[in-house]
Amino acid sequence: MALRYQTVLFDLDGTLIDSQKDIIAAVRHGLSQTGIDDPLDPEDILGHVGKPLDEVLKGLGYHLSEPDVQRFITAFRNFYARHFQDNIRLYPHVIEVLKRLRAAGVRTGIVTTKMQNQAELVAQATGVSALVDHIHGWTEGRQHKPNPEPVLTALRALGAEPTGSLMVGDAEVDILAARAAGLDTCAVTWGYRPAPYLNSFRPDYLIADLRDLVPIVIAG
């Protein structure tokens, strides 16, 4: 059994876990704390998941003062920390596929825009943390995707190189960050971006079922 890729990095939200209901609720709560009572279309919110929270605001059309931006971010994070398990679920076949990759000797990691402590809590609550070798979330001073820094930092933590590594994600930022870091890319269509949109970024692979990742990574 040969490996086409020795290392696989995954995005978290929209790739391994479906957290959309809790994220939507947290965005709405954060806006309410800035005096905005706007229900928003859930699809509009989901179209910006994976971006830094200040960019989520701008993408939704809100241009707030810096104090209100910080108020939104704090309220979002506090609400999400209290409610992240309310509706969270793994996408189909996540545990199965992670176990198969581990059994084959593939190094695995998570690269997410979530804060480090929240990423670790979510991964632990869903059983994912026991099946990945590294979790890279955001802390002060770190860069966000599409900057390649989080991808490259995760690879260093895993003792891996860009060549022979694959990034799996549901958003354009995953593709762009991985490509800038020199990795091949695999976009998934069950997350928060539509397949035609993802395809416009020309990922190396596009899959609609996580089980299809296994023959991409493992030859024979």
Side-chain angles (χ1 to χ4, degrees):
M1 182 169 55
L3 297 180
R4 293 190 182 92
Y5 296 99
Q6 291 75 42
T7 306
V8 179
L9 302 179
F10 294 90
D11 175 50
L12 188 58
D13 297 287
T15 301
L16 298 179
I17 63 165
D18 181 355
S19 51
Q20 60 179 298
K21 290 182 180 178
D22 298 324
I23 289 175
I24 289 167
V27 167
R28 288 173 171 166
H29 174 76
L31 288 173
S32 74
Q33 301 307 296
T34 68
I36 298 172
D37 186 18
D38 187 343
L40 293 172
D41 188 307
E43 293 302 317
D44 289 340
I45 296 174
L46 294 177
H48 298 284
V49 172
K51 300 177 182 178
L53 290 171
D54 58 338
E55 292 185 18
V56 171
L57 280 175
K58 292 176 183 176
L60 291 171
Y62 298 112
H63 300 280
L64 306 180
S65 66
E66 185 57 28
D68 275 343
V69 170
Q70 293 307 313
R71 191 171 293 114
F72 167 82
I73 291 172
T74 299
F76 175 99
R77 288 175 176 162
N78 290 342
F79 182 93
Y80 188 80
R82 295 192 303 270
H83 296 281
F84 76 91
Q85 293 192 71
D86 288 359
N87 301 286
I88 197 171
R89 68 180 182 91
L90 286 171
Y91 285 110
H93 314 300
V94 167
I95 298 299
E96 169 194 346
V97 169
L98 290 178
K99 284 182 176 179
R100 290 191 66 181
L101 295 180
R102 171 157 287 198
V106 179
R107 290 167 291 189
T108 55
I110 289 172
V111 179
T112 175
T113 306
K114 263 184 167 50
M115 290 185 68
Q116 182 71 39
N117 64 330
Q118 291 189 347
E120 291 172 357
L121 286 171
V122 168
Q124 184 175 16
T126 54
V128 167
S129 60
L131 296 171
V132 297
D133 301 304
H134 179 68
I135 298 173
H136 182 94
W138 184 81
T139 59
E140 195 68 41
R142 289 180 176 175
Q143 299 295 317
H144 286 294
K145 298 176 288 186
N147 190 295
E149 185 267 344
V151 174
L152 293 170
T153 301
L155 287 182
R156 284 195 295 271
L158 290 165
E161 297 293 333
T163 301
S165 297
L166 180 70
M167 178 77 202
V168 182
D170 75 306
E172 70 286 351
V173 294
D174 302 310
I175 299 169
L176 295 171
R179 184 173 293 140
L183 283 71
D184 284 355
T185 60
C186 179
V188 305
T189 62
W190 56 81
Y192 305 151
R193 305 289 197 274
Y197 177 75
L198 290 170
N199 223 11
S200 72
F201 290 89
R202 306 177 72 85
D204 296 287
Y205 309 95
L206 184 71
I207 60 174
D209 186 313
L210 190 58
R211 291 173 295 185
D212 292 337
L213 179 66
V214 175
I216 292 172
V217 176
I218 304 170

